[in-house]
Amino acid sequence: MTIQEKQQEIIEEFEFLDDWEQKYEYIIDLGKELKGLPEDKKTDENLIKGCQSKVWLDAEFKEGKLFFNADSDGILPKGIVSLLVRIYSGHSTQEILDSDFDFISKIDLQEFLSPSRANGLMAMTKQIKFYAVAFQLKS
């Protein structure tokens, strides 16, 4: 499934939710499904700067694709980062770099978030692109 197809799938999932309370609960549920990171991966190197809560994002490059795993000490940020992991994990660096994050506006996620959480979301998306650039340069 392409990044765009995964984004569209999420947009369609959010269309079935009537209000932001349901969307909030759904995001929290997604976070509960996230595998999380082992303690040895919760390092300053993997910590995303700019998030209100602690959010760690780890990337592994294998067979030409980037695989992400993440964790957070906050339940909502964990759900948000799980959306990003679901979309971008398992794709090539070029696919990630060529993609956009327009699904965020299509599900009105930024409207729902406080300014500090919206800044954290932007920091998460920047970190995903940063990993794609870094691993592309290594390959």
Side-chain angles (χ1 to χ4, degrees):
M1 186 178 288
T2 68
I3 288 173
Q4 291 75 23
E5 289 170 337
K6 290 179 182 180
Q7 288 176 342
Q8 187 58 41
E9 185 177 76
I10 288 171
I11 291 166
E12 291 171 7
E13 289 170 9
F14 272 78
E15 286 174 352
F16 284 105
L17 304 172
D18 293 326
D19 58 36
W20 267 109
E21 188 173 320
Q22 288 180 339
K23 292 177 183 184
Y24 185 82
E25 289 175 21
Y26 182 64
I27 291 170
I28 289 171
D29 288 343
L30 291 174
K32 290 177 182 175
E33 294 172 12
L34 189 64
K35 185 173 105 178
L37 284 174
E39 289 302 315
D40 67 328
K41 295 287 187 178
K42 292 181 182 178
T43 63
D44 285 343
E45 182 180 291
N46 289 335
L47 188 64
I48 298 176
K49 305 332 181 237
C51 290
Q52 182 177 339
S53 298
K54 288 188 177 181
V55 178
W56 297 271
L57 182 67
D58 185 44
E60 183 179 4
F61 190 68
K62 34 182 197 183
E63 299 177 14
K65 297 184 187 232
L66 263 178
F67 294 89
F68 296 100
N69 197 11
D71 207 345
S72 177
D73 64 355
I75 194 162
L76 184 61
K78 189 171 183 175
I80 293 169
V81 78
S82 74
L83 282 172
L84 298 175
V85 167
R86 176 176 158 191
I87 291 170
Y88 295 98
S89 194
H91 293 281
S92 73
T93 57
Q94 194 60 53
E95 288 173 304
I96 293 168
L97 292 172
D98 290 343
S99 70
D100 57 39
F101 295 94
D102 66 339
F103 81 96
I104 293 169
S105 61
K106 290 181 180 175
I107 63 173
D108 294 325
L109 187 55
Q110 287 178 310
E111 299 297 318
F112 163 68
L113 300 174
S114 68
S116 61
R117 294 244 189 256
N119 287 340
L121 172 60
M122 294 311 298
M124 291 177 205
T125 60
K126 285 180 183 177
Q127 189 65 32
I128 286 172
K129 293 281 187 172
F130 172 80
Y131 276 127
V133 169
F135 282 101
Q136 189 174 55
L137 293 174
K138 285 183 180 182
S139 60

